[in-house]
Amino acid sequence: MTPRAVLEAAIAAAVAGLLAAFALRALPERVPADGMLPLFAVLCALASARLGSREEAEESRSHLGLWTVPLLLLAAIGVPEEFRLQAWGFLLAAALTVAVVSAMTRGSLPVAAASWLLAVAGGVRLFPLEPRGSAYALLAIAGGIGLLFATAHHPLFLRDPAAERERDVGAGAFLLALAIVLVAPLADWRGAVLPALAALTVLAVRSGRIDLSIASILLGLAGGFWMAAGAAAAMVGRIAGAWLRPAGLPVAVPAFGGVTLRGAAAALLYAPGGSLGFLAAPAPWRLAAAAVLAVSLIVRPLPGLVLSLVALLLLVERPGPLDRRFAAIPGGFAFGLMVMAGFSGALAPVFPAALPFELRLVLTATAVVALLVPLSSIAALLAASGAVVSLAALPVPVHSEQAGRSLAPGDSAVLAAPGASGDLRLVLSGAHVAGLPAGTPFATVEILNREGRGLRRVVEMGEVADWGAFRSGSLRSAVNRFPLEPGVRIEGIGRDAWLRGEGAIEVGSDVSWLRVSAASTLPPDARVLVERMEILR
Amino acid sequence: MTQETILLAFFALVMSVGPLAMIRRSHRTWIALDAGSWIAIVTALASLHSTGRALEPALSLAIVMGVKLAIFAGYLAARREDDLRHDSWIIAGMVLAVYLIAGTSALRFAIDGDEPYYVLIAESLLHDRDLDLRNQYADPSASVVGRADLVPQLGDPVGPGGEQYSRHEPFLSLLLVPGIAIAGLWGAMATIALLAALAIRSLVRMLVEGGLAPVLVARVWPLIAFAPPMLFYAYRIWPEAPGALALTEAVRNAGKRRWGWMLLWLAVLSLLKIRFALVALAMIAIVILSVRPSRRVVIAAAAVALVPMAAAWLMTGNPLNIHDTSELVLGPWWKYPRGAFGLLLDAQTGLLFQAPFWFAGFLGLLLLRKELPEPVRWGVTAAIPYLVLLVPRDEWHGGWAPPLRYVTVFMPLFAAGAALLARRAAGWIAPVGVASLLLAVHGLAWPWRLFHIANGESIAGEWLSTRWGADFSRLLPSFIRLNTAALVAATLLVLGIVLLMILPRLRVGVRMPELAWPLIVAAVVVLGITAGMRPGNVVHFEDAHVERLGGELHPHLYQVGRFAYTGGWTMRAGDAVRFRMTPGNAVLHARSDGGARIDAGGAEQVVPATAGAFAPFRVAIPRDRFEIRVLEGELTLDRIEHE
């Protein structure tokens, strides 16, 4: 960026911020989320800064992103409170996507431009504005920029490893940095240094011999036990040498507990010859592994976000210049990440499971396609899978009825099912159960349908969680797993946002009565919270 | 599987196949765009879903349709000429599919306005072989309309034997008969959709034959086909979309000097609605004067001119149907600018707010009139008598119908104007396209909102006023209830047009930094917010920002020709209204048949009987939040304004 471009960006950001502040002053009723408006306006203005010469900026139309500023202001008065933060998120995502796509239309992404975009995107994590949290956010952004610089010099991320003076960041590396900065848990300094740790790791393994395990190391840092185990095994496998590669997959599957789908998927991810080494594996292996991967993703809440990153890495990180036609892919991914910008804190504690079923399907389709087919025909399959998956993603109206019961161990409550027709699901959570591992019996639901038949269903921890287990403050103390089918209700805003540990239990249609009984084996102070009943039509 | 899911699947198929058939080479680009947009849409909708804020399925479908169609329009606009495959049948097929999806979704609500009457006539033709609707009104359950509240419209003709006819010309109903016979109401809608899709096909051919580059045509037709008003009339049972087809074909055939076909289509136009005969007659006159065709053509033209009037005379005994020659007499002068500027700038019913692409078309027709192809110029000239008679009418805005009802028939003319403007400069198309997209999504998701009482408030003004309890409507121009914003907007438009006409001659270039425009617009928005939140000097009591505790709308919502009445709010003892207004001395306009006693901001006042008319009363407004409560009697409040 030239000094003049920096000055223009600063002026535009200042004017946008001031206008947003004036607009806020005029509005009599405000909710805390409204405080994000000036920050969003500033970030949209900064995202629209020109990142190349004036001619390049005109050609790429990067200034179009600034039109999101008046739209932000219109949304402030026109969009109801419950949708406002997401409307702003869409606009910020649009501004960033315009910036990413316009920066990449030249076929590459210079380090300076990538750093600028990352800093702008990470800026949303400054909210709510208070010194300590803001310091953590800045730390995460600085680490993310460091990661970009590290990857710009790394053989894995070089577009052309043969070129000596390569200074561009690959799209995959940029997306990886973006994802890490946006999901890093900022409750304390340990989460905030995650991007910096990632950058150090990349620098530390510069030899190129352990290239593809870098992503798994980074993700292992953010993931749970299987992630970390997989990362460690991958490191060992890579360092041990190439002899493990042909036999890597069959050895790794039982080693990682291949009897469970989660273990199998971890093996696929991290084993030498697994998904990160897929390109070197024989075609039948690729096919089989991708099929297992697809199944595991659909039936278990596995790291869809991670896999999509991997898939995108595989899509775009090829030697040679980036195909311009695919500039929209990282742009679209940046859009996806930024849409939830107003709730940026919610993702980290439940990472990577907090994905709606439909999104998991999309990511699965993306990952499978990325692994199975060459780049040239990927678009057609993406189009088809996207269209098919979208059918499942159309939100269905939910009739919700609050239940509001709290049951001590051994207690039970009888509930009359709502009159509306459709599939009924019961949303439960727990209190004082954050320390219970998955699989612990939690409650029993007895169902009487309209034909007079009874059913019994045991609910375990893992299907539900402690209501507050996924607050950023509970990140390290709670052992709960995020529910398989979460009720998904976001509390709070900005980096303080969190998802309630509600799990949805399907109880079928034509239900007449329900009895929910808390397991008598629960600790004495534990409670089963019957939150609500929902009808899906 | 819900209806919306099926429609979405069909739409996904249309959007996958349709665009691919329209281009020669860059199929992969579309597939990537299609895929990317699906992923973005699903992500966005899923994110809403994940925060427990599920959208209505119809709104989701409308958003998906709007976004995908906008992306398609942008994609098509970016193609080079040798990449475009201009097969107008493929275009018509895709357009028809989209109209059918939109129409099927809209049919979840009862049809409204004039629509049910056209269907009743068609049913009468189908089942009774006559135009007498007495049995249709007597047994509404036998009709596919699905409305039990239908009664004859005000002024419907009655035959000598007591026959109950409709005021609407039966030609459109005749066209609907096969559709209704096959598939009931859906069939009627599909018939209109088919005619509307054919209108778009004709438009594409007209523009290409008129010498416009295919690239330019590709930029224009999606924004005509998939944006209001065409999108909203393309599946509604009104004669507007079929009329657009007839006029387009007439203009196209005039350009090819195929006079017989031109006359045939003008006859169709006239039969669809007697008011369209004005356009047809003017077009015939202009063609005869311009090219002096053979005597045979002139005789045929005279016959065509007489056909609709003869048909009307045979059916109702009046060659003008329910109209009379007094409507041709010029009205008061001020009604002309009001109606003309209203059609252009009114926030509720004007081109600028309801069909911005057509507004650009108007500018194109005005500023680039010398570049218009000859037949389009004839069409524009032929439209003038119709518009001159339309604008002074009290119903210039179209009444109980989606916006721009009376000008939808001129679709080919506005499209030609927009195409010419796009040839000069293309920078305006994207923002206008986005605005059109938002309007399309709004109308597709909530079709009933397109029917709005003509009270001077627009959907946007009403929404903001309700949300914030402040009179935002006064910031948006209204020519139905003339306000200051309307005068400002009309002045700015005139100045703008004069500048646009003069600047090119002066060779003065004005170039603003690209970053400045969005910030200037943002500043205007902030000014609007600040001004809108301040109390105003005039309050109309039926407006959305007034908090009403009891009482009822006057006249009632479905009063025929409601716009001809002084609207207001009727209150009885115990009812109250609260509102914000600048403090000071004000005049309250109210009507009370038997007199009333009110508490106006703490001061008790007596309102004497006003003998059925609204009369002014002085009221002091001590602070900006004010309440009027009726203590005794009944009165109707029209407005309160500062002295």
Side-chain angles (χ1 to χ4, degrees):
Chain A
M1 288 177 73
T2 61
R4 187 184 164 88
V6 172
L7 182 66
E8 281 176 5
I11 292 172
V15 173
L18 281 173
L19 287 172
F22 274 123
L24 269 190
R25 273 190 60 191
L27 300 179
E29 302 155 23
R30 279 181 243 168
V31 293
D34 289 341
M36 292 187 84
L37 179 60
L39 177 66
F40 272 34
V42 167
L43 292 176
C44 283
L46 293 178
S48 313
R50 61 184 167 90
L51 298 171
S53 66
R54 183 172 287 278
E55 291 72 27
E56 284 170 341
E58 277 182 16
E59 189 192 345
S60 63
R61 298 177 175 271
S62 58
H63 63 276
L64 289 178
L66 197 58
W67 282 102
T68 52
V69 173
L71 293 176
L72 280 173
L73 301 175
L74 285 172
I77 56 163
V79 177
E81 285 88 354
E82 64 266 33
F83 293 113
R84 199 180 296 156
L85 206 46
Q86 272 164 317
W88 289 344
F90 292 146
L91 291 169
L92 182 57
L96 190 76
T97 305
V98 169
V100 170
V101 172
S102 63
M104 296 186 74
T105 46
R106 280 170 288 152
S108 66
L109 192 58
V111 178
S115 304
W116 175 265
L117 293 173
L118 187 73
V120 169
V124 296
R125 310 218 65 195
L126 293 169
F127 194 83
L129 287 167
E130 44 93 11
R132 182 180 291 191
S134 301
Y136 295 153
L138 291 173
L139 196 57
I141 294 169
I145 293 172
L147 182 59
L148 289 178
F149 276 90
T151 53
H153 297 274
H154 197 280
L156 167 65
F157 298 104
L158 292 185
R159 286 188 297 114
D160 182 4
E164 287 184 2
R165 302 181 63 184
E166 188 64 68
R167 289 292 179 272
D168 287 352
V169 181
F174 170 70
L175 293 177
L176 198 62
L178 184 65
I180 289 173
V181 168
L182 287 180
V183 304
L186 299 182
D188 56 28
W189 67 268
R190 283 175 293 185
V193 299
L194 182 64
L197 266 179
L200 287 174
T201 312
V202 170
L203 285 173
V205 291
R206 290 184 60 173
S207 72
R209 292 200 56 187
I210 49 173
D211 48 11
L212 286 168
S213 58
I214 293 167
S216 60
I217 296 165
L218 304 181
L219 299 170
L221 290 169
F225 169 75
W226 286 112
M227 296 283 228
M235 284 280 284
V236 172
R238 294 288 184 182
I239 292 166
W243 65 270
L244 255 181
R245 185 182 287 261
L249 195 62
V251 169
V253 169
F256 292 148
V259 288
T260 68
L261 286 169
R262 178 174 281 230
L268 288 170
L269 263 175
Y270 304 120
S275 64
L276 290 174
F278 251 36
L279 295 177
W285 276 119
R286 282 194 273 165
L287 189 64
V292 176
L293 184 65
V295 173
S296 67
L297 269 174
I298 292 170
V299 298
R300 306 291 292 177
L302 275 173
L305 190 61
V306 177
L307 283 170
S308 70
L309 270 175
V310 173
L312 286 164
L313 272 168
L314 293 174
L315 273 174
V316 295
E317 286 302 334
R318 300 296 180 89
L322 178 75
D323 191 327
R324 284 179 181 218
R325 287 172 303 180
F326 294 97
I329 293 176
F333 195 80
F335 180 88
L337 277 175
M338 294 302 293
V339 160
M340 297 297 284
F343 308 97
S344 65
L347 202 53
V350 296
F351 185 80
L355 295 169
F357 179 71
E358 300 84 5
L359 193 52
R360 269 186 267 146
L361 277 175
V362 174
L363 295 172
T364 306
T366 311
V368 170
V369 168
L371 295 172
L372 282 179
V373 299
L375 188 62
S376 57
S377 60
I378 194 156
L381 284 167
L382 269 176
S385 59
V388 171
V389 165
S390 68
L391 298 182
L394 193 72
V396 289
V398 176
H399 169 81
S400 184
E401 194 168 299
Q402 292 298 319
R405 306 288 181 89
S406 171
L407 306 175
D411 283 357
S412 63
V414 176
L415 306 166
S421 63
D423 290 329
L424 178 66
R425 62 184 206 168
L426 187 64
V427 179
L428 302 175
S429 69
H432 305 297
V433 293
L436 298 183
T440 307
F442 178 70
T444 306
V445 181
E446 291 162 286
I447 306 150
L448 182 69
N449 69 18
R450 293 187 207 285
E451 293 170 0
R453 284 191 302 172
L455 294 166
R456 193 164 178 275
R457 165 101 154 72
V458 175
V459 180
E460 296 177 345
M461 292 301 297
E463 291 182 278
V464 297
D466 190 280
W467 67 274
F470 305 103
R471 285 179 294 184
S472 56
S474 310
L475 192 59
R476 282 169 236 292
S477 58
V479 301
N480 286 170
R481 192 179 74 191
F482 194 65
L484 184 69
E485 287 299 334
V488 188
R489 186 183 294 181
I490 291 186
E491 306 278 357
I493 52 168
R495 65 169 178 273
D496 290 344
W498 53 282
L499 278 155
R500 284 178 73 91
E502 297 173 343
I505 311 297
E506 308 286 343
V507 292
S509 56
D510 288 330
V511 176
S512 180
W513 293 90
L514 291 164
R515 184 161 70 190
V516 185
S517 307
S520 54
T521 51
L522 289 172
D525 61 341
R527 294 290 181 270
V528 170
L529 305 179
V530 186
E531 304 270 1
R532 59 189 181 277
M533 287 179 284
E534 293 178 347
I535 297 278
L536 303 179
R537 283 193 281 262
Chain B
M1 194 175 267
T2 62
Q3 177 184 289
E4 282 76 14
T5 309
I6 296 166
L7 291 177
L8 183 64
F10 184 41
F11 181 70
L13 185 70
V14 170
M15 293 310 288
S16 299
V17 177
L20 293 180
M22 287 182 201
I23 46 178
R24 293 181 195 278
R25 284 198 310 276
S26 52
H27 296 111
R28 199 176 287 172
T29 310
W30 171 251
I31 293 169
L33 269 175
D34 195 27
S37 56
W38 276 120
I39 291 171
I41 288 167
V42 170
T43 307
L45 290 179
S47 81
L48 278 176
H49 199 39
S50 69
T51 49
R53 299 170 176 103
L55 300 179
E56 300 164 40
L59 176 57
S60 299
L61 178 66
I63 291 173
V64 170
M65 287 181 72
V67 171
K68 295 290 291 183
L69 289 172
I71 290 171
F72 164 69
Y75 165 74
L76 209 58
R79 295 306 95 207
R80 291 197 321 210
E81 186 160 346
D82 56 352
D83 198 15
L84 289 166
R85 190 196 303 273
H86 253 294
D87 186 327
S88 58
W89 283 114
I90 292 175
I91 292 173
M94 182 182 168
V95 171
L96 174 62
V98 172
Y99 287 169
L100 288 178
I101 293 166
T104 308
S105 179
L107 278 184
R108 65 194 194 279
F109 301 103
I111 54 175
D112 208 342
D114 292 345
E115 292 180 285
Y117 298 97
Y118 284 110
V119 177
L120 287 189
I121 299 169
E123 287 181 319
S124 186
L125 286 169
L126 178 65
H127 302 303
D128 311 336
R129 308 284 192 273
D130 64 23
L131 294 170
D132 183 5
L133 302 182
R134 277 180 296 182
N135 55 330
Q136 273 73 29
Y137 289 124
D139 184 13
S141 64
S143 169
V144 297
V145 168
R147 280 181 50 176
D149 61 333
L150 285 182
V151 290
Q153 288 179 292
L154 200 65
D156 274 355
V158 177
E163 296 90 346
Q164 182 63 63
Y165 298 118
S166 169
R167 61 195 301 167
H168 302 295
E169 291 77 1
F171 185 66
L172 180 65
S173 301
L174 196 63
L175 297 177
L176 300 179
V177 166
I180 290 179
I182 295 167
L185 194 56
W186 191 89
M189 181 277 291
T191 306
I192 299 289
L194 176 66
L195 296 172
L198 289 175
I200 298 300
R201 175 181 175 271
S202 292
L203 172 70
V204 170
R205 298 180 75 189
M206 184 197 93
L207 294 176
V208 172
E209 289 164 6
L212 285 170
V215 174
L216 214 54
V217 177
R219 287 180 186 170
V220 170
W221 78 255
L223 286 172
I224 291 288
F226 303 133
M230 199 60 194
L231 180 65
F232 298 147
Y233 278 100
Y235 49 83
R236 291 210 168 272
I237 304 162
W238 250 292
E240 318 309 325
L245 167 64
L247 183 62
T248 313
E249 277 297 318
V251 171
R252 192 170 81 82
N253 282 296
K256 300 177 87 171
R257 301 295 197 264
R258 296 200 301 207
W259 306 121
W261 284 104
M262 182 197 80
L263 290 173
L264 179 68
W265 281 108
L266 288 177
V268 169
L269 182 67
S270 307
L271 286 169
L272 282 167
K273 202 73 190 168
I274 196 99
R275 64 182 148 89
F276 292 159
L278 271 173
V279 184
L281 288 172
M283 183 88 178
I284 289 169
I286 291 162
V287 167
I288 289 174
L289 291 174
S290 302
V291 295
R292 302 197 179 279
S294 66
R295 183 174 295 179
R296 206 172 55 177
V297 173
V298 174
I299 292 168
V304 164
L306 291 174
V307 164
M309 286 194 274
W313 180 71
L314 278 173
M315 284 181 299
T316 66
N318 178 2
L320 296 177
N321 196 357
I322 58 159
H323 302 280
D324 59 61
T325 48
S326 68
E327 294 175 46
L328 300 174
V329 177
L330 297 181
W333 71 269
W334 58 269
K335 287 192 171 184
Y336 287 86
R338 185 194 64 170
F341 282 114
L343 276 175
L344 291 169
L345 298 170
D346 188 89
Q348 185 180 339
T349 60
L351 288 170
L352 180 64
F353 288 86
Q354 298 299 333
F357 195 72
W358 288 43
F359 184 78
F362 160 75
L363 291 179
L365 292 174
L366 191 70
L367 298 172
L368 306 171
R369 58 194 175 283
K370 290 177 184 167
E371 297 174 29
L372 287 171
E374 189 179 44
V376 175
R377 217 162 40 232
W378 291 341
V380 172
T381 314
I384 291 172
Y386 174 94
L387 291 171
V388 167
L389 283 173
L390 168 66
V391 292
R393 289 169 65 94
D394 287 334
E395 206 190 2
W396 58 267
H397 42 74
W400 192 247
L404 300 165
R405 168 187 178 183
Y406 290 139
V407 293
T408 301
V409 67
F410 299 124
M411 180 270 283
L413 312 179
F414 285 107
L420 286 183
L421 203 62
R423 185 160 70 182
R424 281 290 179 89
W428 58 272
I429 297 178
V432 166
V434 171
S436 303
L437 150 82
L438 294 174
L439 287 165
V441 170
H442 175 261
L444 289 172
W446 300 291
W448 75 90
R449 286 196 190 169
L450 299 174
F451 295 81
H452 194 289
I453 57 171
N455 64 350
E457 282 202 293
S458 60
I459 295 279
E462 245 177 32
W463 166 251
L464 291 174
S465 298
T466 309
R467 266 195 55 63
W468 297 103
D471 188 5
F472 273 92
S473 288
R474 73 185 198 275
L475 301 182
L476 298 169
S478 172
F479 293 83
I480 294 171
R481 194 175 64 198
L482 202 64
N483 60 11
T484 310
L487 301 176
V488 171
T491 310
L492 287 176
L493 177 68
V494 172
L495 285 175
I497 288 173
V498 169
L499 274 177
L500 286 171
M501 285 176 160
I502 290 175
L503 278 181
R505 291 179 193 173
L506 296 178
R507 299 180 188 284
V508 178
V510 181
R511 185 173 167 81
M512 290 276 281
E514 282 150 346
L515 293 179
W517 282 114
L519 295 175
I520 289 170
V521 174
V524 171
V525 173
V526 172
L527 279 176
I529 294 172
T530 311
M533 291 306 300
R534 291 194 174 155
N537 292 327
V538 184
V539 172
H540 289 262
F541 291 99
E542 59 183 347
D543 281 2
H545 70 97
V546 177
E547 187 186 352
R548 292 176 285 261
L549 309 168
E552 62 196 43
L553 186 67
H554 169 83
H556 67 86
L557 189 64
Y558 298 110
Q559 171 67 49
V560 176
R562 190 181 180 284
F563 50 83
Y565 295 78
T566 303
W569 196 256
T570 300
M571 300 157 68
R572 295 175 188 83
D575 297 340
V577 286
R578 291 181 191 147
F579 51 93
R580 295 180 67 209
M581 190 176 178
T582 316
N585 290 326
V587 177
L588 175 69
H589 296 264
R591 190 184 88 177
S592 179
D593 292 337
R597 198 159 54 84
I598 60 172
D599 176 348
E604 204 171 304
Q605 268 184 266
V606 172
V607 178
T610 59
F614 283 91
F617 301 94
R618 286 192 160 188
V619 176
I621 308 280
R623 56 195 169 275
D624 70 355
R625 288 192 182 277
F626 196 69
E627 178 180 299
I628 297 175
R629 182 175 290 278
V630 179
L631 302 174
E632 193 181 336
E634 178 181 324
L635 84 166
T636 299
L637 301 179
D638 169 24
R639 66 185 191 277
I640 184 168
E641 59 193 342
H642 276 294
E643 285 182 306

